[in-house]
Amino acid sequence: MNAEACQAERNATDLVGSPLGWVLWGLPIVLFVGGIAWTEARAWLWVPCLLVAGTACLANASRWGRLHCFVTGPRFLLGAVATLVDASGVMAIDWRWILATVIGRTASGYGIEWLRGRYFAAVAITTRSSS
């Protein structure tokens, strides 16, 4: 498969641009923003939405090599863990620090992608067998 065909397949199958992307990242973003204002439900909103978005990012990074997903996936999962640790009373973590790191890492991930390109070159597209 030549480079142009590989790039076309990545663009066509990348979860970020697909309709499923709205469920995997769009809905969690709305819930995450809702958790900023709704203090009592913050942990109930943030933990699942960060888990879904982080898992989807890691899948997108490993399967298609989406560059920003390498940065945001682990950060979303760590944000979910930090929120859970704070909500359970194990350790007090200011929600604003969680918010700042999630937003900051997301911005840096997209910044790296803007500078270096959308995809990590070393991740090969696996061809799907028709059987």
Side-chain angles (χ1 to χ4, degrees), residues 2 4-5 16 23 28 37 40 50 81-82 96 106 110 114:
N2 66 22
E4 290 84 23
V16 174
V23 174
E40 297 82 18
L50 288 170
V81 170
R96 291 171 291 220
T106 302
Y110 276 102
W114 181 72

Side-chain angles (χ1 to χ4, degrees), residues 28-100:
I29 287 169
V30 170
L31 295 175
F32 188 79
V33 171
I36 294 169
W38 192 6
T39 307
E40 297 82 18
R42 184 173 296 131
W44 291 100
L45 294 172
W46 281 15
V47 171
C49 76
L50 288 170
L51 286 174
V52 168
T55 303
C57 272
L58 291 180
N60 212 35
S62 67
R63 174 67 188 209
W64 292 277
R66 188 68 188 244
L67 194 54
H68 80 264
C69 286
F70 284 101
V71 176
T72 57
R75 178 53 61 192
F76 291 160
L77 295 178
L78 287 173
V81 170
T83 302
L84 190 59
V85 165
D86 178 54
S88 65
V90 172
M91 179 189 306
I93 303 172
D94 192 336
W95 67 272
R96 291 171 291 220
W97 282 104
I98 299 168
L99 175 66

